[in-house]
């Protein structure tokens, strides 16, 4: 039976079918999307659809999006995700092939509100950045939690994703960033095998409380954001539950403080909280080490992170022959002795323009040659000579990069002087930050079982047998 979009929905809700259970009509053909669109095409379509759904191109303010976000919008956004990333999609065929491009995979927390800064920070030191997509795939979510079936409980999370789309759109459009799904979401056996590998690895080296502190802090932050989205009646009930002697004055003061936090939050829907209902907590900690290496070997990327525990994990699977280590140690130490600069809390248009204008191209060229040598040269005698050459060049390239950073500083002052810095994501505070660019080179970051998995999935020419470099960004403890 065909149901008209303006007829009452057969589910019994009383709403029109088009406003209830009808599948939103995408502006593309899902059949074609599932078989023919490239990775970048899918990302561009998704972001364009989000801009249309939330009327971002119509010049509305962020507060308007907070005020008007609806179940239909969230359902529509996730239906697009489902259409673009059908569960039968062949992810392996969409991944970039290894080449001489300086391609980096971010390995860390992929919370939408944090990802942007983590991309900005490394954007001038890589040709392309791969990021595991923060968008939940409805195909793998049970109905009671599914954003298509029950969108109301995803409002806070959806606002974070819309904010992420606004910030990241220029980078996706320019081809500087590519969002990739977790391949194991489309291959159950791959998921089971990488999980078991991770389980065995962790048993041998259990993470400490210090290692887990960042993840626990992120969990607390997410819980706080969910509490802010809770109705006052719920908060009052919880306050009385934990302190039966709490006074009415204390409750009033606490609620006034919560209201201030709600007004300050970018991700709080400006709607009646009683009508919002409970909100789901979505923790996105990225892929495990095994899947990160799988992706790096499949795409010819190197991992970079700003999370100390992730860096510790990478170092734990480093396989380096004494001779090899001796060759590259002086160069890696030279990197560790230098202070580098990174874009941080900065307007997305300015940051993207800096990258599209090829700022720091000389230093990227230096890193690109180093990366190519690490990937393609096996002769130890030649490596020793090239390593010395790179060490000699580093000082000159570093001083050229410092001069370019001074120009970026000047351009940033001009930018902030001629624009209003209160728009979505715009801020001149802490726009450039100092830190260390820790590079571990000349070692093979690999897990034998992962390499065997990659080899079984891809032909020999389309993957790397080793990941010879990893990068740690240490922003002076931040």
């Amino acid at each position: 039976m065909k149901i008209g979009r303006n007829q009452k929905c057969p589910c019994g809700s009383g709403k029109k079918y088009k406003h209830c259970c009808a599948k939103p009509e995408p502006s593309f053909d899902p059949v074609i999307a599932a078989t023919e669109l490239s990775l970048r095409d899918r990302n561009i379509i998704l972001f364009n659809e989000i801009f249309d759904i939330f009327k971002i191109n119509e010049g509305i303010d962020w507060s308007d999006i907070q005020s008007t976000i609806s179940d239909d919008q969230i359902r529509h956004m996730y239906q697009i995700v489902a259409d673009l990333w059908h569960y039968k999609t062949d992810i392996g065929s969409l991944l970039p092939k290894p080449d001489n491009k300086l391609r980096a995979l971010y390995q860390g927390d992929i919370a939408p509100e944090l990802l942007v800064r983590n991309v900005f920070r490394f954007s001038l030191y890589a040709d392309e950045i791969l990021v595991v997509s923060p968008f939940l795939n409805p195909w793998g979510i049970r109905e009671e939690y599914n954003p298509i079936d029950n969108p109301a409980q995803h409002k806070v999370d959806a606002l974070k994703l819309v904010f992420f789309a606004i910030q990241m759109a220029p980078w996706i459009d320019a081809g500087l960033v590519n969002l990739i799904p977790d391949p194991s979401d489309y291959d159950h056996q791959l998921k089971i095998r990488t999980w078991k590998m991770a389980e065995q690895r962790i048993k041998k080296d259990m993470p400490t409380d210090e290692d887990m502190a960042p993840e626990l802090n992120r969990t607390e932050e997410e819980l706080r954001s969910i509490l802010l989205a809770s109705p006052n009646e719920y908060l009052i009930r919880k306050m009385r539950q934990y302190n039966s002697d709490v006074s009415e004055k204390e409750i009033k003061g606490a609620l006034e403080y919560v209201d201030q936090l709600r007004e300050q939050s970018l991700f709080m829907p400006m709607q009646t909280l009683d009508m919002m209902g409970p909100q789901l907590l979505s923790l996105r900690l990225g892929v495990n080490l095994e899947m990160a290496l799988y992706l790096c070997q499949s795409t010819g990327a190197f991992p970079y992170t700003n999370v100390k525990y992730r860096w510790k994990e990478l170092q734990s699977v480093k396989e380096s022959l004494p001779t090899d280590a001796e060759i590259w140690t002086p160069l890696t130490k030279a990197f560790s002795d230098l202070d580098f600069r990174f874009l941080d809390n900065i307007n997305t248009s300015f940051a993207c323009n800096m990258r599209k204008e090829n700022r720091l191209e000389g230093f990227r060229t230096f890193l690109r040659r180093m990366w190519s040598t690490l990937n393609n040269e096996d002769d130890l005698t030649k490596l020793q000579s090239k390593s010395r050459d790179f060490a000699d060049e580093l000082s000159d390239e570093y001083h050229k990069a410092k001069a370019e950073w001074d120009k970026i500083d000047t351009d940033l002052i001009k930018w902030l002087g001629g624009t209003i810095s209160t728009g979505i994501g715009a801020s001149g505070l802490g726009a450039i930050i100092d830190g260390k660019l820790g590079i571990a080179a000349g070692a093979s970051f690999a897990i034998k079982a992962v390499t065997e998995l990659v080899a079984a999935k891809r032909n020999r020419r389309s993957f790397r047998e080793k990941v010879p470099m990893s990068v740690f960004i240490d922003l002076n403890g931040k």
Side-chain angles (χ1 to χ4, degrees):
M1 180 179 70
K2 183 170 177 61
I3 304 166
R5 293 181 62 79
N6 287 312
Q7 290 180 302
K8 282 190 176 181
C9 188
C11 76
S13 67
K15 296 180 181 180
K16 290 182 179 181
Y17 180 57
K18 67 181 180 182
H19 294 313
C20 192
C21 295
K23 177 178 173 180
E25 294 295 332
S27 59
F28 59 93
D29 186 337
V31 176
I32 294 176
T35 58
E36 297 182 15
L37 293 177
S38 69
L39 187 69
R40 183 164 178 262
D41 288 339
R42 293 164 198 254
N43 287 329
I44 289 174
I45 288 173
L46 173 60
F47 279 55
N48 286 342
E49 292 286 339
I50 290 174
F51 271 55
D52 287 342
I53 292 167
F54 293 93
K55 300 179 173 58
I56 295 166
N57 284 325
E58 297 178 16
I60 65 173
D61 293 329
W62 179 248
S63 59
D64 294 328
I65 298 175
Q66 289 177 285
S67 301
T68 60
I69 186 170
S70 68
D71 293 359
D72 285 341
Q73 288 176 318
I74 297 170
R75 182 183 293 111
H76 192 173
M77 176 176 74
Y78 272 106
Q79 188 62 62
I80 298 299
V81 174
D83 287 337
L84 286 169
W85 297 106
H86 191 274
Y87 69 93
K88 290 187 176 179
T89 303
D90 181 4
I91 299 299
S93 67
L94 298 175
L95 294 176
K97 301 297 187 293
D99 50 29
N100 288 327
K101 182 177 285 189
L102 193 63
R103 183 177 291 123
L105 171 74
Y106 176 65
Q107 174 66 345
D109 195 327
I110 59 169
E113 66 273 27
L114 298 180
L115 262 181
V116 176
R117 292 178 70 179
N118 290 327
V119 168
F120 287 0
R121 286 168 178 168
F122 200 60
S123 60
L124 296 181
Y125 296 100
D127 294 332
E128 178 187 3
I129 294 178
L130 301 180
V131 175
V132 176
S133 176
F135 289 89
L136 304 174
N137 193 319
W139 289 104
I141 304 174
R142 290 171 58 179
E143 182 178 337
E144 59 263 43
Y145 307 119
N146 198 296
I148 293 177
D149 298 306
N150 292 288
Q153 57 194 338
H154 290 268
K155 284 189 176 179
V156 172
D157 197 59
L159 279 173
K160 293 180 179 181
L161 290 168
V162 175
F163 180 83
F164 169 77
I166 292 170
Q167 297 278 297
M168 196 57 66
W171 301 82
I172 297 291
D173 187 59
L176 301 172
V177 174
N178 247 326
L179 301 186
I180 55 175
D182 179 346
S184 69
D185 287 344
Y186 300 82
D187 186 335
H188 184 68
Q189 289 303 313
L190 179 61
K191 184 181 291 290
I192 295 299
R193 292 184 68 176
T194 51
W195 278 4
K196 285 184 177 179
M197 288 180 214
E199 184 180 22
Q200 292 302 314
R201 173 175 52 82
I202 292 171
K203 280 182 181 179
K204 296 176 183 177
D205 186 16
M206 290 293 293
T208 65
D209 291 343
E210 183 181 357
D211 292 334
M212 298 307 297
E215 279 75 11
L216 292 174
N217 290 338
R218 283 287 303 128
T219 304
E220 290 177 4
E221 289 173 14
E222 290 294 334
L223 287 171
R224 278 195 292 270
S225 70
I226 297 301
L227 282 175
L228 291 182
S230 302
N232 284 350
E233 289 75 11
Y234 172 82
L235 297 179
I236 293 170
R237 188 166 67 250
K238 285 298 179 183
M239 281 188 272
R240 287 177 173 157
Q241 179 181 332
Y242 290 111
N243 181 8
S244 58
D245 297 326
V246 66
S247 67
E248 292 299 320
K249 182 178 180 180
E250 288 172 324
I251 289 175
K252 181 181 178 182
L255 292 179
E256 288 175 351
Y257 176 66
V258 168
D259 283 339
Q260 290 177 10
L261 294 179
R262 286 168 177 160
E263 290 177 5
Q264 295 167 5
S265 174
L266 284 172
F267 310 118
M268 178 58 56
M270 294 180 181
Q271 300 168 354
T272 304
L273 293 174
D274 294 327
M275 296 178 64
M276 277 177 53
Q279 295 295 297
L280 284 178
L281 172 69
S282 296
L283 285 176
R284 299 173 173 90
L285 300 178
V287 294
N288 61 26
L289 174 64
E290 286 70 18
M291 183 49 62
L293 290 174
Y294 180 95
L295 285 170
C296 284
Q297 290 177 250
S298 298
T299 63
F302 62 87
Y304 82 95
T305 186
N306 60 329
V307 180
K308 288 184 178 179
Y309 177 60
R310 299 286 193 178
W311 181 245
K312 178 181 173 182
E313 283 187 318
L314 281 164
Q315 301 309 300
S316 73
V317 296
K318 179 170 62 175
E319 300 173 358
S320 179
L321 297 173
T323 306
D324 194 26
E326 184 179 328
I327 289 173
W328 291 100
T329 296
L331 179 61
T332 55
K333 184 180 184 305
F335 269 99
S336 67
D337 290 339
L338 298 172
D339 289 320
F340 285 83
R341 309 187 75 186
F342 305 90
L343 297 173
D344 193 44
N345 186 24
I346 195 169
N347 179 280
T348 186
S349 297
F350 178 84
C352 192
N353 284 341
M354 291 298 97
R355 182 60 186 79
K356 287 194 290 188
E357 290 175 6
N358 280 329
R359 302 297 182 97
L360 262 66
E361 173 59 23
F363 199 80
R364 280 196 304 279
T365 299
F366 170 74
L367 292 175
R368 198 180 299 120
R369 286 191 289 106
M370 192 174 90
W371 174 238
S372 179
T373 299
L374 286 165
N375 271 313
N376 301 317
E377 185 58 75
D378 294 319
D379 187 310
L380 289 179
T381 302
K382 291 181 179 179
L383 278 176
Q384 191 163 26
S385 173
K386 290 184 178 182
S387 177
R388 285 197 300 267
D389 291 341
F390 285 130
D392 292 338
E393 284 184 60
L394 176 59
S395 179
D396 288 339
E397 295 298 337
Y398 174 75
H399 284 96
K400 292 176 186 176
K402 283 191 69 175
E404 285 205 62
W405 272 112
D406 290 340
K407 293 179 182 177
I408 293 172
D409 257 338
T410 302
D411 290 342
L412 178 59
I413 293 170
K414 291 178 181 177
W415 175 279
L416 293 176
T419 61
I420 299 174
S421 61
T422 55
I424 297 175
S427 173
L429 300 176
I432 296 175
I433 190 169
D434 292 330
K436 296 291 186 181
L437 188 65
I439 291 185
S444 176
F445 297 90
I447 297 174
K448 182 180 178 182
V450 173
T451 302
E452 291 172 353
L453 268 178
V454 180
K457 298 285 182 182
R458 306 173 77 86
N459 67 63
R460 191 171 185 82
R461 293 183 178 180
S462 63
F463 75 93
R464 303 286 193 202
E465 293 187 359
K466 62 179 182 177
V467 180
M469 186 172 84
S470 63
V471 174
F472 177 51
I473 301 174
D474 186 3
L475 299 179
N476 297 333
K478 296 186 180 180

